[in-house]
Amino acid sequence: MKNKKLQTMIVIGMLSSISFILMLFNFPLPALPAFLKVDFSDVPALIAAVTMGPVAGILVAFFKNVLDWLFAGSPTGVPVGHMANFVTSLLFILPVYAIYHKVATKKGMAFGLAIGTLSMAIGMSVLNYLVFLPMYTYFLNMPAETGNALFGTIVLGILPFNLIKGVLLTAVVLLMFSSMHTWIEKQRSYYLS
């Protein structure tokens, strides 16, 4: 039992490191706000959640953001962007885990990824409207966006960005899933038994 716990901690550490490295290779999308950047750091967190359970996925998402904050810092002094990235990861990986846990097939994974993408896009639109954008403006001591300007930022920036990010993540995960399905099932039977 102790060996399994130790192995789980080591794997979570390795996946967190990989996730952190992938987070460094981020890029903006044309015609969308420059502060929104796509990266593929949610893929290791998703692998952790699917193979070892939701807590492992949450820990990988948490550690990658802590590492990035320590490494890169934050323009606000407070890790608002890292908190937003952490919540984005949870909104994406937890629905995928929940659906794949019930339907452990390629169709289950595809459906989970679609629901995860919608959850991330809608959830982050609401949370950016209510929490994250107001936090940014507060900590950067800038005038807050309100009314139509804030609504435009959400509808024309945040929502399409997260939909595109979800589609890109879905494509990568489905490509990997085809070749990794047997390995994933073997890991699930070991860690989740």
Side-chain angles (χ1 to χ4, degrees):
M1 189 65 175
K2 285 184 179 180
N3 287 341
K4 192 173 185 179
K5 284 183 181 179
L6 177 63
Q7 187 174 355
T8 301
M9 290 190 304
I10 291 168
V11 172
I12 288 171
M14 287 177 13
L15 288 172
S16 299
S17 300
I18 293 167
S19 191
F20 163 65
I21 291 167
L22 288 173
M23 203 172 181
L24 298 174
F25 296 101
N26 58 43
F27 56 92
L29 294 173
L32 291 173
F35 66 89
L36 298 171
K37 295 186 176 156
V38 174
D39 64 63
F40 295 100
S41 64
D42 287 333
V43 174
L46 181 62
I47 290 170
V50 168
T51 57
M52 295 183 285
V55 173
I58 292 167
L59 287 172
V60 170
F62 176 75
F63 290 137
K64 75 164 178 168
N65 280 291
V66 169
L67 287 169
D68 190 67
W69 180 48
L70 294 172
F71 181 78
S74 170
T76 62
V78 176
V80 178
H82 295 94
M83 287 187 274
N85 186 288
F86 176 67
V87 173
T88 302
S89 297
L90 298 186
L91 287 170
F92 182 70
I93 65 174
L94 293 179
V96 177
Y97 165 78
I99 291 168
Y100 188 74
H101 185 69
K102 299 285 183 200
V103 184
T105 64
K106 188 171 184 175
K107 285 183 182 179
M109 178 61 78
F111 183 66
L113 289 164
I115 298 300
T117 297
L118 290 175
S119 167
M120 176 175 65
I122 294 167
M124 286 313 292
S125 296
V126 172
L127 288 170
N128 270 291
Y129 184 82
L130 297 173
V131 180
F132 295 119
L133 288 177
M135 281 177 73
Y136 263 117
T137 57
Y138 175 79
F139 286 116
L140 289 174
N141 201 21
M142 295 170 43
E145 279 188 319
T146 57
N148 289 339
L150 181 57
F151 186 75
T153 299
I154 300 297
V155 173
L156 301 176
I158 307 280
L159 181 63
F161 169 81
N162 282 305
L163 287 171
I164 293 167
K165 179 180 177 178
V167 168
L168 292 172
L169 285 169
T170 297
V172 168
V173 170
L174 287 177
L175 282 171
M176 290 174 58
F177 187 78
S178 298
S179 61
M180 292 178 64
H181 184 258
T182 305
W183 179 83
I184 287 171
E185 288 308 310
K186 185 178 174 185
Q187 299 308 308
R188 287 181 80 219
S189 65
Y190 176 73
Y191 287 109
L192 299 176
S193 61

